[in-house]
Amino acid sequence: MPSRWDSVKVNGEAMRCYVSVPEGSGPFPAVVVIQHAGGVDEFVRSMSDRLAGAHFLAVAPDLYHREDRNSSDDPLTRMGRLRDATIIADVNAAIGHVKGLPEAQADRIGITGYCMGGRVTYLMAAQNADLTAAVVCWGGNIMMPWGDGPAPFALTDQIACPVLGLFGEEDPNPNSADVAKLDAELSKLGKVHEFHSYSGAGHAFMNEGRPSYRAVAADDAWTKTVAWFDKHLRA
């Protein structure tokens, strides 16, 4: 699949977005792919490419675009500087960019993300009504705000699109109690959702580059992801 880096303006600043385009003639349903702590790295780009292989236009915004690219800070330190207000602005800008792309179906936009990206996915499902489906992959810290404002969990009543959640039973963040709390809140509020937790799997179980990778769980989670977006973005 052809891929490129687009530049998107956010409050006058340039933000890079990795764009992976399906082969064939579009326009295609689109998925905004939210990074994990490592940024828009090889894993995130590979997942974007896989989505393009499943005939979704994938766009992954670089949420670290305000950072010094020459910084030697580790990923968790960089992640710790992120704030919800700027995250929302960045992802809204990426969604706006998708809506203007000739390769994209402007009314068929989903979102997914991994680790902190799963948290951002949950947050944005409550913040942008243009999203028509969400897939949260082991999103931690959903009960905590980053900076001023409410935590994503506190915004659950504003979620307006179907949510798929994919988790590892051995993950400490989110742990099984966190997942149960999210599930209960979504159910109480009548939000369309499905949660799946995998035994023997922990955090980042879909990342082939890590010891945490679990092939059986990863394959099933990928199948469920594509099916979810097929169901809610192609209808």
Side-chain angles (χ1 to χ4, degrees):
M1 285 72 61
S3 63
R4 65 177 189 262
W5 287 94
D6 286 357
S7 182
V8 178
K9 289 291 187 181
V10 185
N11 298 325
E13 299 180 344
M15 175 179 70
R16 295 196 314 159
C17 293
Y18 180 78
V19 180
S20 191
V21 183
E23 294 179 350
S25 59
F28 304 97
V31 178
V32 177
V33 182
I34 306 298
Q35 67 182 60
H36 59 172
V40 185
D41 59 4
E42 182 177 356
F43 169 68
V44 173
R45 295 193 303 271
S46 70
M47 298 304 282
S48 299
D49 292 344
R50 289 183 71 183
L51 283 163
H55 303 291
F56 299 99
L57 176 78
V59 177
D62 175 15
L63 302 185
Y64 290 155
H65 67 93
R66 296 175 183 84
E67 296 275 327
D68 179 358
R69 288 196 185 180
N70 297 317
S71 172
S72 60
D73 290 344
D74 63 85
L76 291 179
T77 299
R78 296 171 76 196
M79 183 181 75
R81 288 196 284 264
L82 292 173
R83 294 294 180 264
D84 286 336
T86 50
I87 288 170
I88 292 167
D90 288 349
V91 181
N92 280 339
I95 292 169
H97 182 63
V98 169
K99 292 175 70 176
L101 291 175
E103 304 101 325
Q105 289 180 261
D107 60 344
R108 293 286 184 269
I109 304 174
I111 188 169
T112 190
Y114 313 95
C115 181
M116 63 152 274
R119 177 191 181 277
V120 172
T121 295
Y122 196 97
L123 172 67
M124 294 308 302
Q127 289 287 331
N128 193 306
D130 288 328
L131 296 170
T132 52
V135 178
V136 174
C137 299
W138 58 91
N141 299 313
I142 290 175
M143 283 76 167
M144 298 174 58
W146 287 1
D148 297 330
F153 180 75
L155 302 173
T156 303
D157 63 331
Q158 298 179 33
I159 290 176
C161 67
V163 177
L164 174 67
L166 303 169
F167 308 96
E169 287 186 359
E170 297 179 4
D171 194 339
N173 183 21
N175 60 34
S176 57
D178 295 332
V179 173
K181 184 174 180 179
L182 292 170
D183 189 16
E185 185 73 1
L186 288 162
S187 296
K188 182 183 79 172
L189 294 170
K191 304 298 181 179
V192 176
H193 72 289
E194 284 184 21
F195 277 12
H196 300 275
S197 294
Y198 295 96
S199 62
H203 203 73
F205 64 88
M206 292 178 75
N207 192 336
E208 290 189 52
R210 293 188 180 182
S212 56
Y213 178 66
R214 297 293 182 269
V216 173
D219 288 347
D220 187 76
W222 177 252
T223 298
K224 285 181 168 57
T225 295
V226 172
W228 193 258
F229 285 140
D230 277 340
K231 178 179 180 180
H232 297 291
L233 299 184
R234 299 195 197 277

